[in-house]
Amino acid sequence: MLSDLAWLVPAPASIRDDIKALKATVASAGAAPLDAAFAEALTRLSLHRLDEGQLAKLAGIVGRVAGDLPSFSRVKLGLLGDGTLSLLASAIVGSGVRHGLLIDVVEGGYGSAVQDAADPSSAVRRAGLDMALLALDHRLAGLDRAMPDAATAAAQVDAALGRIRMIVEGLRSGVKGPLLVQTLSSPVEPLFGSFDRVEPGSVFAMVEALNRRLAEWARQGGIVLVDIARLAASVGHERWDDPRHWHASKLGFSPDMIPVYADVVARTIGAICGKAKKALVLDLDNTLWGGIIGDDGLDGIAVGQGNATGEAFLAIQRLALELRARGVVLAVCSKNEDDAARLPFREHPDMLLREEHIAVFQANWTDKASNLTAIAETLNIGVDALVFLDDNPAERAQVRRELPLVGVPELPADPAMYPRMLAAAGYFDTVALSEEDRLRADQYQANAQRAQMQAGASDMDSYLASLAMTCTIRPVDPISRPRVAQLINKSNQFNLTTRRYTEAEVASAEADPLRHAVQVRLVDRFGDNGIISVLIADKAAADWTIDTWLMSCRVLGRRVQEAALAHLAAAARAEGARRLVGRYVPSPKNRMVEDHYAKLGFVADGDLPDGGTRWILDLAGYTPPVLPMQVDDLFHNREREAA
């Protein structure tokens, strides 16, 4: 299942012609930008089970795309490591399309990862990388033979980790974003049998020890882990490892595993770039329970302990709840009468999912693509943030046809396999998990309640006043830093410049007296929205230039941006500045804020070389607005206390 990319639909018979058509489109466009129709066609093609050769052809198309492409993010990736890497690069590029990425891979030399990382003149160091991936193999990491005792084994593991650290630290200054490091797959051949796991000098035990050290390093934020050891174990080490190809070409695993390897790498990069899905939308009949509630009634549906079918559907619900607990929003999209659809959630004793777990409940006879669009609008997220789970192949096909950006996994006939298929697809993969992430499902659910309340309000002012909002503005600090960095790297729509910063760079901005780094939190009667806005401004004597201004789309229309501007204007005035300078740099996703500065009273001050615009606010003429919220400016409070 996993190795075959079984959650994707098989490639169509027309795939060669489809690839040729995309190549022709790119060739005819030349240096001109390609449109959304091309981006959609490219995405549709990628959402099939593509083999190594087909991925390479897709990579060839990506390599010819000039400029930006709607809904895609560009990433320049360094690829260094042990053994043959050339076979992996094109597959990673081709798989990246599936995850909304245009990846440009810069390969290190064969067997020269340490030299490439250490030499400032190497191609990798000079490339201006966004990220780098270190692809390792235990056979070239000094862990290829058993050690005679525990002390020697520990020293060998230390040496292997030291080499990895040397490569990572050598690269760090030349890479804008995170460094990705693979875990190492274990050898198939045992030396001591089951005692391999016990004996510290076995190759198996040393590889496991190194992987634990890498995981701890990732937990501390030093690297991003790509868990290839877990992937190899999931597909089976015997299938994963092919000694013939290792001896012939130093390829660290079977060529048959290249497509799934590349997908795992690409989805990890996608998670870093904010491409992971946010909401799981569930069909009901024969998806959350066996049977049809409208025909079989409450007593006739299969869900619960005591029989294999009922327990299979419970497993689906359990996975949904676990996803919700880590921040994934749950919604329902079902062709049903609303009252009948809600009945099991309210009254069936064996249901794990209840109405309070569901942020948006769409049960009607409208087509599912339209209902999914409505769900996305209610949650104030794009349809590209949705995953739709439905047992009916016709419904899945309709959604794929109408909404290709929605994640729609293929499902087998047996519902016992639904959870595995959903999990294998990696739609919700993450590279970090904060407390705010865990609260996200509740926050989006509260946002849906706000939307319903707004629909019933007589006017916007009365609606905003009824929310009883408190906006808290404070400096970015070590506690908020991971969430701030996450927002900076994930926010695309309400983001004036789309600059990306690592946690280390955010920490540098916090400590820099010439930068003003602010986090904004919003609480209202429905709950805490968490950190929803970030501003970073560069200070000069007369002008403060806004480097980064972003905001979560969950709070659009709440006038939070006006509160943030009032804070920034007051802070700049207090230090003698006379103007605020803003920049709007257009991206494929941030057109919604092209008039942001004009709406706030800034005056246009010409175009920028990158296609953006420059805006000026004269602080002498600025008057802070009266806002429908309480504003607690703890940044200024802290400055007064320090004074």
Side-chain angles (χ1 to χ4, degrees):
M1 179 183 292
L2 183 60
S3 60
D4 298 332
L5 305 178
W7 61 91
L8 299 171
V9 292
S14 62
I15 189 161
R16 287 188 178 181
D17 293 336
D18 295 339
I19 290 172
K20 287 180 182 178
L22 289 176
K23 283 183 177 178
T25 301
V26 173
S28 63
L34 291 154
D35 60 12
F38 174 84
E40 182 176 310
L42 188 65
T43 299
R44 287 184 188 277
L45 189 63
S46 73
L47 296 175
H48 294 95
R49 296 176 209 165
L50 304 181
D51 61 27
E52 181 188 349
Q54 292 161 342
L55 289 171
K57 291 176 181 177
L58 200 60
I61 295 171
V62 170
R64 294 180 176 88
V65 173
D68 292 326
L69 192 62
S71 78
F72 281 82
S73 298
R74 282 198 172 274
V75 175
K76 183 174 282 190
L77 175 72
L79 180 59
L80 303 89
D82 299 329
T84 300
L85 303 176
S86 57
L87 296 176
L88 308 180
S90 60
I92 292 171
V93 175
S95 298
V97 176
R98 192 178 295 139
H99 299 279
L101 304 168
L102 300 178
I103 300 176
D104 175 16
V105 174
V106 180
E107 290 182 46
Y110 178 86
S112 61
V114 174
Q115 298 93 312
D116 287 334
D119 182 3
S121 65
S122 71
V124 170
R125 287 282 298 274
R126 291 185 289 106
L129 300 175
D130 297 306
M131 304 177 198
L133 169 66
L134 187 53
L136 306 168
D137 190 281
H138 75 273
R139 287 162 287 205
L140 294 179
L143 303 178
D144 57 332
R145 64 195 65 185
M147 294 294 113
D149 54 60
T152 308
Q156 205 72 4
V157 172
D158 287 342
L161 183 63
R163 174 175 175 263
I164 296 169
R165 286 189 179 275
M166 184 187 304
I167 296 169
V168 168
E169 297 310 322
L171 290 171
R172 203 176 291 282
S173 63
V175 178
K176 301 172 189 174
L179 283 300
L180 291 75
V181 178
Q182 290 180 192
T183 51
L184 283 65
S185 64
S186 301
V188 175
E189 300 82 9
L191 182 62
F192 301 98
S194 295
F195 199 66
D196 265 5
R197 192 178 290 277
V198 180
E199 169 53 47
S202 72
V203 173
F204 178 89
M206 289 190 294
V207 170
E208 292 289 292
L210 178 61
N211 285 340
R212 287 193 297 272
R213 300 276 291 276
L214 292 175
E216 178 58 23
W217 192 8
R219 190 188 67 79
Q220 296 170 357
I223 56 172
V224 169
L225 205 66
V226 184
D227 200 355
I228 298 305
R230 174 72 178 272
L231 173 62
S234 297
V235 303
H237 285 105
E238 188 174 12
R239 292 188 64 202
W240 180 264
D241 184 70
D242 190 333
R244 295 169 299 177
H245 287 280
W246 176 256
H247 296 310
S249 61
K250 293 299 180 286
L251 180 63
F253 49 88
S254 167
D256 293 341
M257 300 297 116
I258 288 178
V260 68
Y261 166 87
D263 191 77
V264 169
V265 170
R267 71 173 68 156
T268 305
I269 298 170
I272 294 169
C273 295
K275 299 290 187 178
K277 307 295 188 182
K278 297 177 180 178
L280 173 61
V281 184
L282 300 156
D283 176 48
L284 298 181
D285 294 332
N286 293 311
T287 300
L288 280 193
W289 53 71
I292 300 172
I293 185 63
D295 294 338
D296 301 322
L298 195 64
D299 296 335
I301 61 173
V303 61
Q305 300 291 341
N307 68 79
T309 301
E311 290 183 10
F313 288 109
L314 276 187
I316 299 163
Q317 296 187 31
R318 188 173 295 110
L319 176 59
L321 281 174
E322 288 175 351
L323 288 169
R324 188 182 187 279
R326 49 149 290 196
V328 175
V329 186
L330 302 183
V332 162
C333 177
S334 174
K335 285 185 177 177
N336 253 310
E337 296 295 338
D338 186 79
D339 287 344
R342 292 178 187 268
L343 191 61
F345 292 88
R346 293 171 176 172
E347 298 186 17
H348 200 292
D350 292 323
M351 284 282 290
L352 296 178
L353 285 173
R354 297 294 175 181
E355 272 189 283
E356 60 264 25
H357 299 132
I358 307 301
V360 184
F361 203 108
Q362 291 280 100
N364 52 46
W365 299 103
T366 305
D367 70 274
K368 292 192 174 179
S370 297
N371 274 333
L372 288 167
T373 301
I375 288 169
E377 289 173 352
T378 302
L379 294 173
N380 205 9
I381 58 179
V383 293
D384 60 344
L386 303 180
V387 173
F388 180 49
L389 195 72
D390 194 316
D391 70 294
N392 189 323
E395 300 286 9
R396 296 197 298 266
Q398 190 257 343
V399 171
R400 290 192 190 104
R401 183 176 60 251
E402 300 296 327
L403 301 172
L405 296 182
V406 174
V408 185
E410 276 294 272
L411 295 178
D414 189 344
M417 303 305 293
Y418 290 4
R420 184 170 297 179
M421 191 71 85
L422 177 61
Y427 295 117
F428 304 108
D429 279 13
T430 187
V431 295
L433 190 64
S434 67
E435 189 57 34
E436 293 228 359
D437 291 326
R438 298 182 192 277
L439 297 173
R440 186 181 298 118
D442 288 331
Q443 292 168 350
Y444 274 102
Q445 196 154 332
N447 218 42
Q449 293 173 323
R450 294 181 192 103
Q452 293 171 355
M453 183 176 172
Q454 181 178 354
S458 58
D459 61 84
M460 181 59 73
D461 289 340
S462 63
Y463 161 68
L464 292 177
S466 70
L467 289 176
M469 295 181 287
T470 298
C471 176
T472 303
I473 302 172
R474 66 174 77 224
V476 176
D477 54 30
I479 295 174
S480 63
R481 188 185 304 151
R483 173 59 176 162
V484 167
Q486 186 184 58
L487 278 172
I488 287 172
N489 286 288
K490 284 188 174 183
S491 299
N492 294 303
Q493 297 181 83
F494 197 114
N495 193 331
L496 275 299
T497 56
T498 322
R499 293 182 182 274
R500 307 302 194 191
Y501 292 125
T502 64
E503 275 194 49
E505 289 170 324
V506 173
S508 177
E510 292 170 35
D512 190 342
L514 296 180
R515 307 198 87 184
H516 187 84
V518 171
Q519 54 161 309
V520 182
R521 179 181 290 270
L522 188 68
V523 177
D524 62 30
R525 61 181 290 187
F526 292 104
D528 187 349
N529 292 276
I531 299 172
I532 45 80
S533 185
V534 176
L535 285 89
I536 300 175
D538 295 315
K539 304 179 184 180
D543 294 345
W544 278 29
T545 301
I546 301 168
D547 170 272
T548 296
W549 192 344
L550 59 90
M551 190 171 74
S552 168
C553 291
R554 289 185 286 116
V555 296
L556 288 179
R558 308 276 287 278
R559 301 184 66 184
V560 175
Q561 66 271 32
E562 296 177 61
L565 175 59
H567 159 83
L568 196 60
R573 277 174 172 163
E575 296 196 21
R578 296 191 297 272
R579 303 191 308 175
L580 294 180
V581 180
R583 299 197 310 160
Y584 166 66
V585 179
S587 76
K589 285 196 170 185
N590 74 348
R591 188 170 181 180
M592 67 179 297
V593 292
E594 64 180 346
D595 297 326
H596 170 77
Y597 285 117
K599 291 176 180 177
L600 292 176
F602 285 66
V603 176
D605 189 46
D607 296 331
L608 297 170
D610 53 13
T613 49
R614 189 171 186 263
W615 298 82
I616 301 293
L617 180 68
D618 186 347
L619 292 175
Y622 172 74
T623 302
V626 177
L627 296 170
M629 67 187 75
Q630 175 182 326
V631 178
D632 293 339
D633 194 334
L634 302 184
F635 198 110
H636 291 153
N637 290 348
R638 190 185 74 163
E639 289 180 338
R640 284 194 290 270
E641 289 170 4

